[in-house]
């Protein structure tokens, strides 16, 4: 947090380092930017990753946001990083891409994004943890059963992300049942 305020146009990467907060107090226009927004992470606790805080009207259209793991850090199932906070109605548009590091367990773990009216978080979930409560139980099984034989996407319960909720998804949940 450098403090102060000034109109700023990004002609390079804007980096929120571990434990730091990059604040946009006069807004940010990604359409005029030639760089990316970067968040550096060295651990799962909030003090170990950067955050971006927006307190003025901001246009995100076209920006990329990158997560960079430093110091050998690798996330675990259930880790969640609130990387962007803002006031309701201050931010318009969407990121063009989230550039996320490769996960250690690429078979059972997936990245997820969680967007609310005041924040954006990314986290790691187990594919069988359909409702992302860090437990694989009857709640996950019920989601699979209620969407069974549905096609399209994205679908709640499509744990293998093949566009169909079927026996493969059911078997994945059952094989990790009662895991937390």
């Amino acid at each position: 947090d450098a403090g102060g305020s000034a109109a700023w146009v990004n002609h390079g990467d804007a980096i929120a380092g571990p434990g730091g907060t990059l604040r946009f107090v006069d807004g940010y226009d990604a359409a005029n930017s030639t760089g990316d927004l970067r968040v550096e992470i060295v651990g799962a606790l909030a003090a170990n990753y950067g955050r971006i805080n927006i307190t003025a009207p901001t246009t995100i259209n076209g920006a990329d946001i990158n997560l960079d793991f430093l110091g050998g850090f690798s996330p675990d199932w259930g880790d969640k990083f609130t990387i962007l906070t803002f006031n309701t109605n201050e931010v318009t548009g969407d990121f063009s891409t989230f550039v996320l590091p490769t996960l250690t367990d690429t078979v059972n773990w997936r990245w997820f994004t969680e967007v609310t009216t005041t924040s954006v978080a990314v986290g790691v979930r187990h594919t069988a943890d359909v409702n992302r409560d860090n437990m694989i139980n009857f709640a996950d099984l019920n989601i699979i059963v209620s969407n069974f034989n549905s096609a399209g996407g994205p679908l709640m319960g499509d744990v293998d992300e093949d566009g169909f909720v079927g026996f493969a998804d059911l078997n994945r949940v059952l094989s990790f049942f009662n895991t937390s």
Side-chain angles (χ1 to χ4, degrees):
D1 183 3
S5 66
W8 181 70
V9 176
N10 182 15
H11 292 291
D13 290 349
I15 301 170
T21 301
L22 180 62
R23 297 183 197 279
F24 294 115
V25 296
D26 282 330
Y28 170 73
D29 185 356
N32 294 318
S33 171
T34 57
D36 296 332
L37 297 174
R38 303 189 86 77
V39 174
E40 296 178 334
I41 301 172
V42 295
L45 299 175
N48 294 324
Y49 63 90
R51 288 168 302 288
I52 300 167
N53 178 257
I54 298 172
T55 60
T58 298
T59 302
I60 297 293
N61 284 345
D64 290 338
I65 190 158
N66 296 264
L67 266 57
D68 298 320
F69 293 155
L70 305 176
F73 174 71
S74 183
D76 202 355
W77 170 23
D79 287 351
K80 183 167 108 174
F81 311 96
T82 302
I83 57 172
L84 179 65
T85 57
F86 46 88
N87 298 322
T88 302
N89 299 322
E90 290 284 14
V91 175
T92 57
D94 291 314
F95 289 105
S96 98
T97 56
F98 280 85
V99 181
L100 304 169
T102 302
L103 296 170
T104 306
D105 182 344
T106 58
V107 174
N108 294 311
W109 295 355
R110 298 280 189 272
W111 283 105
F112 71 87
T113 56
E114 181 179 278
V115 179
T116 71
T117 58
T118 59
S119 68
V120 174
V122 294
V124 178
R125 69 174 179 89
H126 193 285
T127 56
D129 184 17
V130 179
N131 64 357
R132 297 190 297 238
D133 66 353
N134 292 326
M135 297 171 54
I136 301 170
N137 55 24
F138 282 110
D140 302 296
L141 192 57
N142 285 335
I143 293 170
I144 299 286
V145 170
S146 20
N147 292 301
F148 200 76
N149 278 336
S150 297
L155 289 168
M156 286 286 289
D158 183 15
V159 298
D160 60 6
E161 299 177 351
D162 68 351
F164 181 75
V165 179
F167 284 108
D169 305 300
L170 179 63
N171 286 335
R172 171 83 45 108
V173 170
L174 288 174
S175 66
F176 290 98
F177 198 77
N178 279 337
T179 305
S180 63

